[in-house]
Amino acid sequence: MSSARLRMVTGLLAVLASLPGLAGQRVEFQYHPRPNLELQSRWLLSAPQRIRAEAALRNIMVAESAFTELRVLVPPAWVGKRARIYLQLPGQLVGMSGLSGFEAEWRTQGVFLPGKSRPGDRVLFYEGTVPGTPLRDFVAYTFKVDARYSSGPVRFEPVYEIEEY
Amino acid sequence: MRMTARQVCRAGYGRPAIVAMLCLASTIASANWVAINPANGEVILRVNYAGTPTVSFTVPAAQLGNGTPIQGTIGGVSYLEFEMGVDRPGGGPNLTATMTATAPATIGGTIPVSKIYWTSIVIPGDPVGTVVIASNPAGFVAGTNTIVQVTTSGTANFYAGGRLTFWYRNDDVYAAGTYGPTAINYTASRNP
């Protein structure tokens, strides 16, 4: 294949990849005004409750955030199109020593969908016509981490993917 | 002119192969996350009694000083259960948890505290792996008494505990009367 032909083919692939409609196009997101949130966990149960509790309950640590602005940076080509955005959590999270022991739950103020996710889950996060970009909403998280499976600070860093429907 | 990855993505339609590569790099380089710091490790001390328990020893006149130990009673029962729990999220440093009792030299200013000792058995239902508090026939010493100590080793939860019965040695004769009460304080602590 000549170098000119090669350039044409790679160019076509690049254009195709930028069009809406392909399944699972990854989109970036930002928290605002700061890009990262840092939360401090507490034990779910009080000390007197914990000492006699089942291990699965005794070891639960909880961290909660205030409502925080989340911006999903949908590419402009998606504006006006009907789209679903999925939140996908990696199977292995930084700070967790296995696949178990982590759950994220979030509330929203109506633009994004509330839900919960565990490592490896892919859950619907937005559905509807994209009114503009970025998509914005305020999200409040509740994280539950099982201390038996934690190996340090845990990082919640989902991937967002957009699909046309 | 230097361009950020985002600028190249917008401006680079004339060189699509490079554009595709740089857009991908820009996406993967996302640096937005929530960091969830673990809760602090904790040591918990639990005694199966609401409030401050009082252990009473009553020596019948006929047994006074005869060397037959007198069992202490606490509100109608003969034991107290002491439990120490250690909760430590993974990834943190190991720690040593210690249960201590701080005792005065005497009970009621007269009877040496060493005349009081305890026996200990496992608390029914305690988790497998619980370190059982040892019996201490030598009795209390004035000052700090180490009741039990646990050092963590990697995992999250550790337990120590025992169902303790207290005894008065009854091997000396003291004048009739009531001695005490005298406080002995139990504490659980951790290091670090």
Side-chain angles (χ1 to χ4, degrees):
Chain A
M1 184 182 293
S2 69
S3 60
R5 172 75 61 85
L6 181 62
R7 277 199 295 274
M8 286 179 61
V9 171
T10 54
L12 179 62
L13 290 175
V15 171
L16 281 175
S18 68
L19 293 176
L22 292 181
Q25 180 184 346
R26 184 167 166 175
V27 290
E28 290 188 70
F29 68 99
Q30 293 176 343
Y31 295 108
H32 188 78
R34 287 176 295 189
N36 305 319
L37 305 180
E38 185 160 342
L39 305 177
Q40 176 62 47
S41 299
R42 58 177 170 78
W43 297 100
L44 175 65
L45 301 180
S46 67
Q49 291 173 316
R50 279 210 316 284
I51 196 166
R52 301 298 283 183
E54 293 290 326
L57 197 56
R58 170 178 178 168
N59 287 288
I60 298 300
M61 302 182 291
V62 179
E64 295 165 306
S65 78
F67 275 101
T68 302
E69 185 176 346
L70 173 63
R71 298 175 176 178
V72 177
L73 309 180
V74 178
W78 287 88
V79 173
K81 299 187 179 302
R82 288 159 56 85
R84 292 191 177 109
I85 296 175
Y86 291 87
L87 179 154
Q88 179 152 13
L89 205 52
Q92 181 64 59
L93 303 185
V94 172
M96 297 299 292
S97 58
L99 301 179
S100 303
F102 180 89
E103 181 183 272
E105 185 169 8
W106 58 90
R107 294 171 289 141
T108 70
Q109 295 189 343
V111 176
F112 300 137
L113 299 171
K116 62 173 62 176
S117 177
R118 292 178 172 156
D121 285 352
R122 188 173 190 260
V123 299
L124 187 62
F125 191 70
Y126 176 85
E127 184 174 55
T129 301
V130 178
T133 185
L135 283 171
R136 304 165 191 250
D137 198 358
F138 286 83
V139 179
Y141 294 105
T142 299
F143 298 102
K144 291 181 180 174
V145 178
D146 189 326
R148 294 173 297 173
Y149 303 103
S150 70
S151 56
V154 180
R155 184 177 290 186
F156 175 75
E157 191 175 14
V159 169
Y160 294 92
E161 293 180 338
I162 192 168
E163 296 178 6
E164 191 171 16
Y165 74 102
Chain B
M1 182 177 71
R2 297 182 62 182
M3 301 176 79
T4 65
R6 191 181 303 281
Q7 287 172 320
V8 173
C9 289
R10 288 181 185 145
Y13 289 106
R15 305 178 70 180
I18 296 174
V19 169
M21 183 177 68
L22 290 177
C23 284
L24 182 63
S26 170
T27 301
I28 291 173
S30 171
N32 298 270
W33 64 76
V34 183
I36 305 152
N37 293 315
N40 295 323
E42 282 191 353
V43 176
I44 308 164
L45 175 62
R46 174 183 173 271
V47 180
N48 69 328
Y49 193 92
T52 303
T54 300
V55 184
S56 300
F57 305 90
T58 302
V59 184
Q63 296 181 34
L64 198 61
N66 70 357
T68 301
I70 302 296
Q71 190 178 61
T73 58
I74 308 103
V77 298
S78 60
Y79 60 83
L80 285 172
E81 291 177 347
F82 293 80
E83 292 175 282
M84 183 173 69
V86 185
D87 291 338
R88 172 191 157 276
N94 284 311
L95 58 91
T96 297
T98 307
M99 186 194 304
T100 58
T102 304
T106 64
I107 304 296
T110 302
I111 300 174
V113 74
S114 61
K115 298 293 184 183
I116 308 295
Y117 66 96
W118 67 88
T119 55
S120 175
I121 61 172
V122 65
I123 300 172
D126 261 2
V128 173
T130 295
V131 176
V132 181
I133 295 173
S135 298
N136 180 22
F140 284 102
V141 297
T144 301
N145 297 256
T146 298
I147 307 301
V148 69
Q149 194 168 68
V150 174
T151 298
T152 67
S153 58
T155 56
N157 308 128
F158 296 83
Y159 296 88
R163 177 177 282 184
L164 271 58
T165 300
F166 294 92
W167 302 85
Y168 168 57
R169 207 176 299 280
N170 191 29
D171 57 356
D172 276 321
V173 176
Y174 297 95
T178 299
Y179 299 85
T182 295
I184 297 176
N185 294 309
Y186 285 77
T187 305
S189 60
R190 46 173 281 193
N191 183 32

